[in-house]
């Protein structure tokens, strides 16, 4: 007779500090035509770039999803096409609301959240202090493919409560903080 055991997640979610440069992509993300639209950003370094010129942002594909955005078949197709074509070092799906908008789960389409969770094993809640500035937005690369939910400190518990029942055993949930209010 075999005994089944379950692994309990101790300290779930994990809490980590942001990298020094924070959300390097913040200024580009804010060019997204909110509300109701998504934006796909593909960064492929120039062929003549030296490896010393490259950083963690080189060869990345980032899909920004705003409040109320539905992930259409065309968006999924384009996203997968760039991921396959670019062979990126980093793939990110980011849920981010406008500077004055809500950053809670109720602002986003649950079908979009479910799709993103299906795409990524690494789930991050990034705590922002000053939206739109790299130094004010927490960020960290923890996996090749990750989904990021940006919010304010007061909204972290709401996101954790919303995400926990939707996570599968393969998912890791991490909250990324800024050290002393800056990246």
């Amino acid at each position: 007779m075999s005994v089944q055991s379950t692994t309990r997640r101790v300290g779930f979610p994990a809490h980590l500090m942001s990298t020094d440069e924070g959300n390097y992509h913040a200024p580009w993300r804010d060019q997204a035509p909110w509300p109701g639209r998504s934006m796909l950003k593909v960064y492929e370094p120039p062929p003549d770039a030296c490896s010393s010129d490259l950083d963690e942002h080189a060869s990345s594909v980032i899909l920004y999803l705003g409040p109320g955005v539905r992930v259409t078949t065309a968006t999924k197709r384009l996203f997968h096409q760039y991921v396959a074509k670019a062979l990126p070092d980093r793939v990110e799906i980011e849920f981010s609301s406008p500077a004055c908008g809500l950053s809670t789960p109720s602002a986003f389409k649950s079908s979009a959240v479910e799709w993103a969770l299906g795409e990524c094993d690494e789930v991050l809640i990034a705590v922002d202090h000053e939206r739109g500035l790299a130094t004010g937005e927490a960020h960290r690369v923890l996996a090749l493919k990750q989904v990021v939910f940006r919010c304010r400190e007061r909204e972290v518990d709401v996101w954790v409560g919303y995400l926990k029942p939707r996570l599968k055993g393969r998912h890791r949930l991490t909250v990324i903080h800024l050290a002393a209010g800056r990246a």
Side-chain angles (χ1 to χ4, degrees):
M1 177 180 224
S2 68
V3 177
Q4 288 187 347
S5 64
T6 59
T7 305
R8 202 170 68 123
R9 295 180 183 186
V10 179
F12 185 70
H15 291 264
L16 297 174
M17 292 298 168
S18 178
T19 53
D20 288 340
E21 67 276 0
N23 183 21
Y24 175 83
H25 294 279
W28 291 281
R29 187 251 354 266
D30 285 339
Q31 295 175 13
W34 312 120
R37 292 234 159 141
S38 61
M39 180 176 79
L40 184 63
K41 181 186 172 295
V42 179
Y43 172 53
E44 296 180 54
D48 59 345
C50 298
S51 61
S52 62
D53 296 333
L54 303 177
D55 58 16
E56 72 173 79
H57 313 290
S59 187
S60 60
V61 174
I62 305 172
L63 176 62
Y64 297 100
L65 298 170
V69 171
R70 197 174 123 261
V71 183
T72 64
T73 302
T75 300
K76 291 176 190 177
R77 188 178 304 122
L78 189 60
F79 174 77
H80 288 121
Q81 178 183 1
Y82 275 111
V83 169
K85 176 184 168 198
L87 297 173
D89 295 327
R90 178 166 64 109
V91 176
E92 207 164 271
I93 301 169
E94 180 180 304
F95 288 81
S96 190
S97 60
C100 299
L102 288 174
S103 294
T104 58
S106 62
F108 299 95
K109 293 278 189 192
S110 59
S111 59
V113 172
E114 293 294 333
W115 172 77
L117 290 174
E119 291 290 320
C120 305
D121 294 342
E122 196 70 44
V123 181
L124 284 68
I125 298 173
V127 182
D128 293 341
H129 288 277
E130 198 168 346
R131 197 183 173 300
L133 298 176
T135 56
E137 292 189 1
H139 189 265
R140 192 153 175 179
V141 176
L142 296 179
L144 169 65
K145 287 177 88 176
Q146 60 187 36
V147 58
V148 178
F149 299 93
R150 294 203 160 278
C151 67
R152 293 158 193 86
E153 188 73 46
R154 67 182 181 269
E155 299 158 342
V156 170
D157 290 338
V158 175
W159 274 108
V160 170
Y162 176 80
L163 291 170
K164 272 188 175 181
R166 290 165 173 75
L167 299 179
K168 309 289 185 234
R170 64 184 173 81
H171 287 120
R172 287 189 313 173
L173 178 62
T174 307
V175 180
I176 307 296
H177 301 273
L178 289 175
R182 69 182 201 345

